[in-house]
Coordinates of all heavy atoms in Angstrom, one line a residue:
N287 N 6.1 2.2 -4.0 CA 6.8 2.4 -2.7 C 8.2 2.6 -2.9 O 8.9 1.6 -3.0 CB 6.3 1.3 -1.8 CG 7.1 1.4 -0.3 OD1 7.6 2.6 -0.2 ND2 7.0 0.5 0.5
K289 N 10.4 3.6 -0.8 CA 11.1 3.4 0.4 C 12.1 4.6 0.7 O 11.9 5.7 0.3 CB 11.7 2.0 0.4 CG 10.8 0.9 0.1 CD 11.3 -0.4 0.3 CE 10.2 -1.5 -0.2 NZ 10.4 -2.9 0.2
H376 N 3.3 -1.2 7.2 CA 4.1 -1.8 6.2 C 5.1 -2.9 7.1 O 5.5 -2.5 8.2 CB 5.0 -0.9 5.5 CG 5.8 -1.5 4.3 ND1 6.9 -2.1 4.4 CD2 5.4 -1.7 3.0 CE1 7.4 -2.7 3.3 NE2 6.5 -2.4 2.4
E449 N 0.7 -8.4 1.9 CA 2.0 -8.4 1.5 C 2.8 -9.6 2.5 O 3.2 -9.3 3.5 CB 2.8 -7.1 1.8 CG 2.2 -6.0 1.0 CD 3.3 -4.9 0.8 OE1 3.8 -4.4 1.8 OE2 3.7 -4.7 -0.3
A453 N 7.9 -12.6 0.6 CA 7.9 -12.3 -0.7 C 8.2 -10.8 -1.0 O 8.3 -10.3 -2.0 CB 6.5 -12.4 -1.4
I454 N 8.6 -10.1 0.1 CA 8.9 -8.6 -0.1 C 10.5 -8.5 -0.3 O 11.2 -8.8 0.6 CB 8.5 -7.9 1.2 CG1 6.9 -7.9 1.3 CG2 8.9 -6.3 0.9 CD1 6.3 -7.0 2.3
G455 N 10.7 -8.0 -1.5 CA 12.2 -7.8 -1.8 C 13.0 -9.1 -2.0 O 14.2 -9.0 -1.9
G492 N 1.2 -7.2 -2.7 CA 2.5 -6.7 -2.7 C 3.4 -7.8 -2.4 O 3.2 -8.6 -1.5
G493 N 4.6 -7.8 -3.1 CA 5.6 -8.8 -2.8 C 6.2 -9.3 -4.2 O 5.6 -10.2 -4.9
S494 N 7.3 -8.7 -4.6 CA 8.0 -9.0 -5.8 C 7.2 -9.0 -7.1 O 7.3 -9.8 -7.9 CB 8.7 -10.3 -5.6 OG 9.6 -10.3 -4.6
V495 N 6.3 -8.0 -7.1 CA 5.5 -7.8 -8.4 C 6.5 -7.2 -9.4 O 7.3 -6.3 -9.1 CB 4.4 -6.8 -8.2 CG1 3.7 -6.5 -9.5 CG2 3.3 -7.4 -7.2
L513 N 1.0 -3.2 -4.8 CA 2.0 -2.3 -4.1 C 3.3 -2.8 -4.5 O 3.7 -3.9 -4.3 CB 1.6 -2.4 -2.6 CG 2.5 -1.6 -1.7 CD1 2.6 -0.1 -2.1 CD2 2.1 -1.6 -0.2
V514 N 4.2 -2.0 -5.1 CA 5.5 -2.4 -5.7 C 6.6 -1.6 -5.1 O 6.5 -0.5 -4.9 CB 5.3 -2.2 -7.2 CG1 6.6 -2.7 -8.0 CG2 4.1 -2.7 -7.8
G515 N 7.5 -2.4 -4.7 CA 8.8 -1.8 -4.1 C 9.8 -1.7 -5.2 O 9.9 -0.8 -6.0
G516 N 10.8 -2.7 -5.1 CA 11.9 -2.7 -6.0 C 11.5 -2.3 -7.6 O 12.4 -1.5 -8.1
Ligands
PEP50 C1 6.8 -3.4 -0.7 O1 7.9 -2.8 -0.2 O2 5.7 -3.1 -0.3 C2 7.1 -4.4 -1.7 C3 6.1 -5.2 -2.1 O3 8.5 -4.6 -2.1 P1 9.0 -5.4 -3.3 O4 8.1 -5.2 -4.6 O5 10.3 -5.0 -3.6 O6 8.9 -6.9 -3.0

Side-chain angles (χ1 to χ4, degrees):
N287 176 12
K289 311 192 183 188
H376 190 277
E449 299 204 298
I454 297 182
S494 297
V495 174
L513 179 54
V514 187

